[in-house]
């Protein structure tokens, strides 16, 4: 998918919006009293996305204690996402038409899978997901995922006033911020007004 706008960077403004979550109540971005870590992932059941999101789930309490709200966007329909994300403790947004992807300049490209730096994480992710599927703890992704398999990840840290504090556009499928990087970036950000939470 070609980018429809310039990538967002520090200082860019994100207009307020309410996003319907498939895993719970709607969320506002930006969020009063919170920093928002807006993640763009790939498709429902993506083994590489699951590998990364499990690291976020393990440290979710720590992330929230740092004043960060996680919001994760997939380019899959809501009904597909529900089968794979019902147990996640943060908002999961379905964007099957890739409107948010286009607005934030998040693209798809063959390099998502072809970069040698992605091969190790891809192998680990496939092995972890295969084991979970065999044990009936996860469902496999669709054979032809909605929106394709070539999506690239992207991360944005958004202040409560809508300013982008930091942004990362992934060069391959597993090129995203780690939890430690999110915590480090949030620690350097101006503190949100906690009275509005």
């Amino acid at each position: 998918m070609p980018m429809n706008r310039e990538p967002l960077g520090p200082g860019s403004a994100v207009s307020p919006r309410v996003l319907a979550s498939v895993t719970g109540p709607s969320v506002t971005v930006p969020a009063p009293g919170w920093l928002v870590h807006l993640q763009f992932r790939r498709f429902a059941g993506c083994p590489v996305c699951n590998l990364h999101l499990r690291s976020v789930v393990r440290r979710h309490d720590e992330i929230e204690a740092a004043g960060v709200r996680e919001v994760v966007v997939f380019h899959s329909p809501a009904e597909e996402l529900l089968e794979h994300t019902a147990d996640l403790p943060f908002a999961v947004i379905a964007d099957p038409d890739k409107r948010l992807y286009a607005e934030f300049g998040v693209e798809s490209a063959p390099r998502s899978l072809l970069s040698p730096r992605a091969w190790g994480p891809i192998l680990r992710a496939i092995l972890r997901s295969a084991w979970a599927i065999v044990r009936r703890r996860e469902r496999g992704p669709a054979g032809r995922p909605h929106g394709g398999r070539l999506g690239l990840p992207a991360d944005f840290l958004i202040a409560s006033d809508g300013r982008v504090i930091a942004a990362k556009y992934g060069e391959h499928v597993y090129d995203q911020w780690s939890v430690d990087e999110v915590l480090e970036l949030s620690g350097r950000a101006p503190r949100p007004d906690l009275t509005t939470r």
Side-chain angles (χ1 to χ4, degrees):
M1 176 181 107
M3 287 210 296
N4 293 342
R5 69 174 283 174
E6 290 294 313
L8 300 180
S12 297
V14 173
S15 59
R17 72 217 41 236
V18 176
L19 300 174
S21 174
V22 301
T23 56
S26 295
V27 294
T28 58
V29 175
W34 293 88
L35 298 171
V36 172
H37 175 208
L38 183 64
Q39 296 187 46
F40 286 83
R41 306 307 311 166
R42 295 170 2 115
F43 53 87
C46 164
V48 178
C49 301
N50 289 346
L51 182 67
H52 172 65
L53 289 178
R54 293 298 153 206
S55 70
V56 176
V57 168
R58 282 191 299 275
R59 297 180 65 188
H60 186 250
D61 290 343
E62 190 179 347
I63 294 166
E64 278 202 330
V68 178
R69 177 172 285 165
E70 290 288 342
V71 178
V72 182
V73 181
F74 285 87
H75 57 68
S76 295
E79 57 276 6
E80 284 182 33
L81 279 175
L82 276 173
E83 298 175 5
H84 298 278
T85 61
D87 64 333
L88 296 180
F90 39 76
V92 176
I93 311 303
D95 185 21
D97 298 326
K98 294 188 176 181
R99 288 189 180 114
L100 286 170
Y101 288 78
E103 182 180 340
F104 281 79
V106 182
E107 58 184 343
S108 296
R111 74 177 184 272
S112 68
L113 300 175
L114 298 178
S115 171
R117 293 177 295 160
W119 298 345
I122 290 171
L123 181 60
R124 279 195 324 273
I126 290 171
L127 292 173
R128 190 206 71 74
S129 284
W131 180 242
I133 291 167
V134 165
R135 293 170 43 213
R136 297 180 189 257
R137 298 209 172 157
E138 283 182 16
R139 290 181 48 121
R144 299 186 118 185
H146 187 91
R149 295 183 179 276
L150 301 179
L152 289 161
D155 294 272
F156 301 90
L157 191 62
I158 303 168
S160 57
D161 65 0
R163 249 178 330 102
V164 174
I165 295 169
K168 178 178 180 68
Y169 289 90
E171 291 295 319
H172 59 78
V173 69
Y174 201 70
D175 185 20
Q176 70 271 310
W177 287 334
S178 68
V179 172
D180 286 336
E181 288 172 302
V182 171
L183 294 173
E184 180 184 333
L185 289 166
S186 70
R188 290 187 280 170
R191 301 315 309 155
D193 179 5
L194 301 180
T195 61
T196 58
R197 280 193 192 171

